[in-house]
Amino acid sequence: MALRLGDLAPDFEQDSSEGRIRFHDWLGESWGVLFSHPADYTPVCTTELGLTAKLKDEFARRGVKAIALSVDGVESHKGWIQDINETQSTTVNFPILADGDRKVSQLYDMIHPNANETLTVRSLFVIDPKKKVRLIITYPASTGRNFNEILRVIDSLQLTDNHSVATPGNWQDGDDVVIVPSLKDEAVIREKFPKGYKAVRPYLRLTPQPNK
Ligand code: BEZ
């Protein structure tokens, strides 16, 4: 069965451009972004991996490790990484899994046979430090993902975990957030949100972003 939000992210051992990886050990206490792409030496994938490399500091600031995957082999990955570095003016600083035997692709349901029988689609999973799946997105091969959106979702998830708030539609860092509906105790709310809040409706309570 396909993975769902809240499921334990399956552990695996697989080769990568940076050697053999035991996934849960490799994640350690970090958040993780595991993302697949259809193939090495393809244009959209080249830009995506270049973008991810350039966002290294943004991922690190949030305690996130990135790891890519395709069904191509380690030597192909290594050659392609040189191309990515040259063409995208960056240094790929994360591993690319070499999933030739489709072990990880199958565990994470990254092959959608009606789209392509053998290649992975653009799947992406955000995994939290408890190894729970917190975001699943799937894009078609022809559309590169927006990695700023991935960072935005991670910011939202971390705000929820740390401050009991959720983020409204189109929320951007610094905008007001909403107090989660499960929080009802006025005394707790006053303590948690010293900047106050505005109840537009009893169920819609806006408060300044707590970590700003
Ligand atoms: C690409 O990564 O550029 C790509 C892969 C498959 C289909 C179309 C584009």
Side-chain angles (χ1 to χ4, degrees), residues 66-87:
I67 184 164
L69 174 152
S70 85
V71 299
D72 295 308
V74 167
E75 290 315 309
S76 166
H77 286 347
K78 286 185 176 167
W80 183 42
I81 284 170
Q82 287 180 14
D83 265 16
I84 299 169
N85 292 345
E86 266 180 54
T87 61

Side-chain angles (χ1 to χ4, degrees), residues 46-99:
T46 300
T47 61
E48 282 193 327
L49 271 72
L51 270 172
T52 307
K54 285 181 185 162
L55 290 171
K56 175 180 188 240
D57 291 346
E58 293 297 322
F59 283 117
R61 200 154 64 76
R62 293 161 174 85
V64 180
K65 286 176 152 183
I67 184 164
L69 174 152
S70 85
V71 299
D72 295 308
V74 167
E75 290 315 309
S76 166
H77 286 347
K78 286 185 176 167
W80 183 42
I81 284 170
Q82 287 180 14
D83 265 16
I84 299 169
N85 292 345
E86 266 180 54
T87 61
Q88 308 303 302
S89 307
T90 189
T91 303
V92 171
N93 39 45
F94 54 88
I96 309 176
L97 291 165
D99 198 39

Side-chain angles (χ1 to χ4, degrees), residues 1 10 22 47 77 81 89 99 123 129 156 164 190 194 205:
M1 195 170 78
R22 290 167 64 194
T47 61
H77 286 347
I81 284 170
S89 307
D99 198 39
S123 297
S156 171
S164 309
R190 267 200 301 278
R205 301 166 298 177

Side-chain angles (χ1 to χ4, degrees), residues 31 33 55 58-59 61-62 64 126 135 146-160 166-177 209:
W31 289 69
V33 173
L55 290 171
E58 293 297 322
F59 283 117
R61 200 154 64 76
R62 293 161 174 85
V64 180
V126 171
L135 172 73
N146 183 334
F147 285 81
N148 291 325
E149 169 64 2
I150 307 308
L151 291 172
R152 193 186 76 93
V153 180
I154 292 169
D155 284 343
S156 171
L157 289 167
Q158 294 185 344
L159 275 172
T160 303
T167 55
N170 281 355
W171 170 83
Q172 293 292 337
D173 189 40
D175 290 350
D176 284 353
V177 295
Q209 188 175 320

Side-chain angles (χ1 to χ4, degrees), residues 38-39 42-46 122 141-142:
T42 50
V44 176
C45 305
T46 300
R122 291 187 201 284
S142 51

Side-chain angles (χ1 to χ4, degrees), residues 98-211:
D99 198 39
D101 60 6
R102 275 60 170 180
K103 187 198 311 178
V104 183
S105 311
Q106 279 162 10
L107 274 175
Y108 282 80
D109 198 28
M110 291 165 162
I111 295 177
H112 296 197
N114 291 325
N116 188 299
E117 267 180 35
T118 52
L119 301 179
T120 43
V121 291
R122 291 187 201 284
S123 297
L124 185 147
F125 300 83
V126 171
I127 297 159
D128 72 14
K130 292 181 182 147
K131 316 284 185 290
K132 292 284 167 67
V133 175
R134 300 291 296 274
L135 172 73
I136 302 173
I137 63 167
T138 309
Y139 270 41
S142 51
T143 307
R145 287 157 286 199
N146 183 334
F147 285 81
N148 291 325
E149 169 64 2
I150 307 308
L151 291 172
R152 193 186 76 93
V153 180
I154 292 169
D155 284 343
S156 171
L157 289 167
Q158 294 185 344
L159 275 172
T160 303
D161 289 1
N162 298 330
H163 299 284
S164 309
V165 294
T167 55
N170 281 355
W171 170 83
Q172 293 292 337
D173 189 40
D175 290 350
D176 284 353
V177 295
V178 298
I179 299 171
V180 292
S182 56
L183 202 53
K184 304 224 186 283
D185 186 320
E186 262 309 315
V188 175
I189 291 175
R190 267 200 301 278
E191 193 189 318
K192 268 185 164 304
F193 307 106
K195 294 175 199 158
Y197 70 92
K198 180 179 164 196
V200 181
R201 288 286 185 276
Y203 61 84
L204 175 54
R205 301 166 298 177
L206 292 166
T207 189
Q209 188 175 320
N211 62 346

